[in-house]
Amino acid sequence: MRDDTESRLDDAIDNVARSLIAGDPDLALREAVRARVERPAAGRRLWLYAATASAALIVVALTWVASNRQPVPEVSTPMAAVTEATPLAAPAVEVFPGSSIDVGRASGPPVARIPVPAALAVAALTEAPLQIDLLDVVPLDVEPLEIPQIAVDAIGVEPLAMQ
Amino acid sequence: MLARQGDTAAFDALVVRHQGAVYRAALAALRAPGEAEEAAQDAFIRAWSRLSRFRGDASFKTWLLTIAWNRAMTRRRGLTHWLRRALPLEHAASVTDRQPRPDDEAGASELRTHIAAAIEALTPKLRDALLLARSGDYSYEEIAAMLGTSTGTLKWRVAEARRKVRGRLAALGYVDA
């Protein structure tokens, strides 16, 4: 494991490098490993016993619960006594004269909408025109509004005086 | 494999056989003997719990070392390691002093201290590669598997680490005779 470029300094470097990790582990290492290897084995046995006991307890508990469970009460009303429900009649739709039932043609079943008496609506608009007499118009009594100076400065325009 | 079937004695034999390599790999990553032992212990426990997943694609040693390295990396990224960081350089000197070599000469201790400091200053990737490659415990293939890289990249890292250490030593006035 040596390179070709060996030298005296290289020898010294190798010697020091070797010495830096020289030595053997303490004798206690082997004992410590053995203790830790054997301890879990005993521990595993204890865990096995505990797991077996727990499983047995769970099985006993489930069996007891199953044996003491209350039966589900039967339905008291026999099927023969149940009367058949009759469907409700469809609501009648009133049709005004001059209009017709508008039936939707979109997807799904047709739906009847409330009819609008078109003739009456047109008559209400044409027979009673709005009449306003300008002499009846009275100006509102408005009090002058005070504008804060800071707002005036911000806007830069003097507001109109309100009479 | 008996250990795979839950044989703790068989696994204990594996621990005895590989504990040194596992410990030194963790020490290379963590640079602290106490943390390295904890990481090695974690690695063995994890290996034990995952023995059923070992498919035999790699050798058991490579598989075990990869687990150990990952455990050590997890620790290295942790706050506890950051707080306990920095293996004293005196430790390196003391280790080298415990293994005197015949070619040691006056001033060698100072040189070792400088080399240790230069190695510590390397980037983690270069330092890991150098320490693992020079430990003598692992082949390049095993180290590459641990680090999750190719052997070519690993060899480049080792060479680059040595080059940087040499450069640092040259700046201090150390040159090859």
Side-chain angles (χ1 to χ4, degrees):
Chain A
M1 299 200 357
R2 296 299 307 267
D3 299 314
D4 295 335
T5 55
E6 291 192 14
S7 67
R8 195 168 146 272
L9 269 185
D10 284 335
D11 285 340
I13 291 169
D14 291 348
N15 288 337
V16 173
R18 191 176 301 115
S19 69
L20 284 175
I21 60 170
D24 289 312
D26 197 271
L27 293 176
L29 173 63
R30 179 187 173 191
E31 294 304 319
V33 171
R34 181 157 45 184
R36 286 179 65 181
V37 162
E38 290 176 352
R39 199 187 316 142
R44 269 200 300 273
R45 276 196 295 274
L46 286 177
W47 275 108
L48 189 63
Y49 294 148
T52 307
S54 301
L57 280 175
I58 290 171
V59 168
V60 169
L62 289 176
T63 308
W64 183 84
V65 168
S67 61
N68 290 286
R69 198 167 56 180
Q70 294 292 329
V72 178
E74 293 183 0
V75 180
S76 57
T77 306
M79 287 300 292
V82 177
T83 57
E84 287 189 7
T86 54
L88 295 173
V93 178
E94 187 180 358
V95 179
F96 290 87
S99 66
S100 61
I101 298 175
D102 186 10
V103 178
R105 287 185 173 80
S107 61
V111 177
R113 294 194 298 186
I114 298 173
V116 178
L120 292 178
V122 171
L125 285 175
T126 55
E127 291 173 3
L130 182 63
Q131 292 183 351
I132 302 173
D133 189 351
L134 293 178
L135 295 177
D136 295 337
V137 176
V138 179
L140 293 173
D141 187 12
V142 181
E143 293 182 0
L145 182 64
E146 186 177 349
I147 308 297
Q149 186 59 39
I150 189 169
V152 172
D153 295 340
I155 298 171
V157 179
E158 191 72 19
L160 295 173
M162 303 183 72
Q163 297 294 327
Chain B
M1 186 187 290
L2 286 174
R4 223 161 152 180
Q5 298 164 3
D7 189 335
T8 56
F11 187 73
D12 182 54
L14 291 173
V15 172
V16 171
R17 189 188 308 166
H18 297 296
Q19 62 178 350
V22 168
Y23 166 76
R24 283 185 284 277
L27 186 58
L30 296 168
R31 319 286 297 108
E35 277 198 271
E37 286 202 14
E38 290 174 10
Q41 195 181 127
D42 286 349
F44 279 117
I45 298 304
R46 182 161 284 242
W48 168 253
S49 65
R50 295 186 171 191
L51 263 180
S52 59
R53 299 188 199 176
F54 174 58
R55 295 170 300 181
D57 297 340
S59 73
F60 177 77
K61 182 187 175 187
T62 304
W63 181 73
L64 179 62
L65 287 173
T66 305
I67 292 175
W69 186 257
N70 290 336
R71 298 306 297 168
M73 284 294 106
T74 302
R75 280 178 172 267
R76 188 156 89 177
R77 286 188 285 264
L79 179 63
T80 309
H81 172 73
W82 185 80
L83 292 173
R84 286 195 280 179
R85 177 77 178 82
L87 174 74
L89 292 179
E90 301 79 51
H91 171 78
S94 65
V95 170
T96 51
D97 287 344
R98 263 189 266 140
Q99 300 169 327
R101 300 177 67 83
D103 57 348
D104 274 353
E105 46 192 64
S109 176
E110 187 183 350
L111 173 60
R112 282 198 300 269
T113 303
H114 287 307
I115 292 174
I119 291 174
E120 291 294 336
L122 291 171
T123 61
K125 283 186 176 179
L126 296 183
R127 187 174 59 237
D128 293 342
L130 179 66
L131 293 181
L132 291 171
R134 292 297 168 254
S135 69
D137 281 321
Y138 326 102
S139 67
Y140 271 119
E141 286 72 24
E142 287 170 340
I143 299 170
M146 287 163 61
L147 303 184
T149 187
S150 66
T151 53
T153 302
L154 174 64
K155 286 179 181 177
W156 177 86
R157 287 181 188 172
V158 174
E160 181 68 6
R162 290 168 73 178
R163 192 184 67 78
K164 284 188 178 297
V165 173
R166 274 201 310 266
R168 196 177 170 104
L169 294 175
L172 294 170
Y174 291 99
V175 290
D176 274 333

